[in-house]
Amino acid sequence: MLLPILLLSAAGFTVLTTEFVIVGLLPAIARDLEVSIPQAGLLVTLFAFTVAAFGPFLTAYFARFERRKLFISVLIMFGLANTLAAFAPNIWVMAIARLIPALGLPVFWALASETAVDIVGPDYAGRAIAKIGFGIVCATVFGIPVGTLISDAFGWRSAFGILAVIAFAKALLLFIYLPKTNLHQHQVSFRSQFKILRSPLMLGHVLLSILVFSGMFTAYTYLADILERLAGFNGTVVGWCLMGFGAVGLIGNSLGGRAVDRHPLMASMMFCTFMIAGMVALVPNIHSPLGLAAAMGIWGVTQAALFLVSHVRLMKAAPEAPAFAASLNIAGANLGIGLGAMVGGRVIDSVGLGGLGFAAAAFILVSILLAMALMTMKPREICA
């Protein structure tokens, strides 16, 4: 059953590239649609907070649908949304084109993860989701820079047009090769899925995801700016640095998949500890090639690992409703992304770029303390 997981991984690449590719296209979009960069940046905010606000509810509702039809429908929706983006005449139409896929992303990611676990069994959940996570890591390594190169060569609309074609093509592949899935026999009702929120332990896990992603994106949001202004790199070198940062994430994805199967909270604590070291060491080693590479390498590995660990950790915390739990992680992650970007901006205004690593590390340190507290709590059985 490896082929269905690989197909879902390939589809995940398209889904996540659609979310993040806009980061590299913002200047061109702003010029063409005659808005400011901050106004164009609201498209990123719109996507993230739409995922956070609606993801759990949509996932809980669509969890009862047959997976093959659902995944194909989501990819067709992404294809249509990217087509609309490619032809958007103004910022308002562009906003609609970003809103549509934001509604589909958490449904696809959460239910694809659940489907992968159903295929291989809960004991190998981390490794199965790591295979799907491989597509997501590739989206950050290749999707964003390739989309930017396409934009530079042919215009930003071409990037969305190509993404639309890819989404339609992958929908066709899923139609041909993905078998109908009737694996999740004991589907929990819509109302019962929300009962997991009565568990203090589950709420603690969601808070842990918010803290981890807040710490990540307090600094990561401004990593390119750090490399330009503090290291003195030009745009090309920054691009290669970011690609390298993402590439080492492939290692983190594999390590995280194995570690989370053994002990989810211990895996979170371990990777968070190393992430603090990488974040704090970055600026002091900014002019040392080896030191900078080591700091970015540690940070890149741990960041990718924590993407996966956080996702599987929530699913293992609520085995009675794993897809809904995964959607809660996605919502918490997006809240953390938004919060981290806001905090990072304030830190820059207050103390400068050099303080970002310490501010981010503070979030991660609190998350370690919370993980330690969660290890002392016993899960409470929730009746369906």
Side-chain angles (χ1 to χ4, degrees):
M1 297 298 289
L2 180 62
L3 179 60
I5 295 178
L6 294 179
L7 286 173
L8 292 174
S9 177
F13 172 85
T14 305
V15 168
L16 266 292
T17 299
T18 296
E19 177 177 9
F20 292 123
V21 73
I22 195 172
V23 172
L25 309 181
L26 281 180
I29 292 173
R31 287 192 300 268
D32 193 37
L33 299 184
E34 299 180 345
V35 296
S36 67
I37 292 287
Q39 287 174 322
L42 291 176
L43 296 171
V44 179
T45 304
L46 172 66
F47 199 109
F49 283 103
T50 299
V51 171
F54 295 100
F57 302 98
L58 292 173
T59 301
Y61 178 77
F62 284 105
R64 55 185 175 172
F65 285 70
E66 199 275 317
R67 298 293 188 263
R68 179 170 173 266
K69 292 180 180 178
L70 181 63
F71 295 150
I72 292 170
S73 298
V74 169
L75 281 172
I76 291 174
M77 182 176 71
F78 268 73
L80 294 173
N82 283 321
T83 301
L84 180 61
F87 292 98
N90 55 55
I91 193 67
W92 302 108
V93 175
M94 190 65 187
I96 295 173
R98 297 301 293 168
L99 176 65
I100 294 170
L103 296 172
L105 181 143
V107 174
F108 179 89
W109 178 214
L111 295 179
S113 302
E114 182 193 62
T115 301
V117 174
D118 281 338
I119 290 172
V120 303
D123 290 340
Y124 299 96
R127 273 163 274 193
I129 297 175
K131 289 182 173 64
I132 295 179
F134 179 80
I136 293 168
V137 174
C138 285
T140 61
V141 176
F142 303 112
I144 297 172
V146 169
T148 304
L149 291 174
I150 292 172
S151 175
D152 290 340
F154 306 106
W156 66 270
R157 296 180 187 276
S158 297
F160 283 108
I162 291 172
L163 268 176
V165 172
I166 293 174
F168 289 132
K170 288 181 179 176
L172 180 61
L173 288 174
L174 290 181
F175 177 76
I176 297 172
Y177 294 109
L178 187 68
K180 290 186 177 181
T181 52
N182 297 310
L183 296 168
H184 207 61
Q185 299 294 333
H186 305 290
Q187 188 57 255
V188 184
S189 69
F190 181 85
R191 180 178 297 179
S192 295
Q193 293 180 72
F194 284 89
K195 290 183 179 180
I196 67 175
L197 292 175
R198 296 179 181 177
S199 166
L201 179 60
M202 191 65 194
L203 294 177
H205 275 285
V206 175
L207 178 59
L208 180 57
S209 289
I210 295 173
L211 288 171
V212 167
F213 280 86
S214 295
M216 284 183 191
F217 282 84
T218 293
Y220 181 65
T221 304
Y222 306 97
L223 180 56
D225 200 25
I226 291 173
L227 295 174
E228 284 189 8
R229 291 168 56 188
L230 298 186
F233 295 158
N234 61 34
T236 301
V237 176
V238 169
W240 282 109
C241 287
L242 293 178
M243 187 170 287
F245 184 95
V248 297
L250 297 174
I251 301 172
N253 188 62
S254 177
L255 294 175
R258 294 181 180 277
V260 75
D261 280 336
R262 297 189 184 97
H263 198 299
L265 286 170
M266 284 295 295
S268 291
M269 293 168 59
M270 177 183 69
F271 288 116
C272 281
T273 301
F274 281 102
M275 176 178 275
I276 289 176
M279 287 177 164
V280 172
L282 183 72
V283 173
N285 290 278
I286 201 74
H287 297 298
S288 167
L290 289 178
L292 179 60
M296 288 190 65
I298 293 171
W299 183 1
V301 168
T302 54
Q303 179 153 307
L306 284 166
F307 265 91
L308 175 67
V309 168
S310 297
H311 199 71
V312 179
R313 174 174 50 77
L314 265 292
M315 295 181 72
K316 285 179 175 286
E320 69 275 22
F324 182 65
S327 73
L328 291 174
N329 176 67
I330 295 168
N334 277 273
L335 284 174
I337 289 169
L339 178 61
M342 292 170 58
V343 171
R346 296 297 294 271
V347 170
I348 292 173
D349 291 338
S350 301
V351 299
L353 286 168
L356 284 176
F358 294 97
F363 273 112
I364 302 299
L365 179 59
V366 174
S367 74
I368 293 174
L369 297 176
L370 176 58
M372 293 174 64
L374 292 176
M375 289 178 65
T376 66
M377 298 176 64
K378 294 182 179 180
R380 186 176 69 187
E381 185 175 343
I382 301 172
C383 300

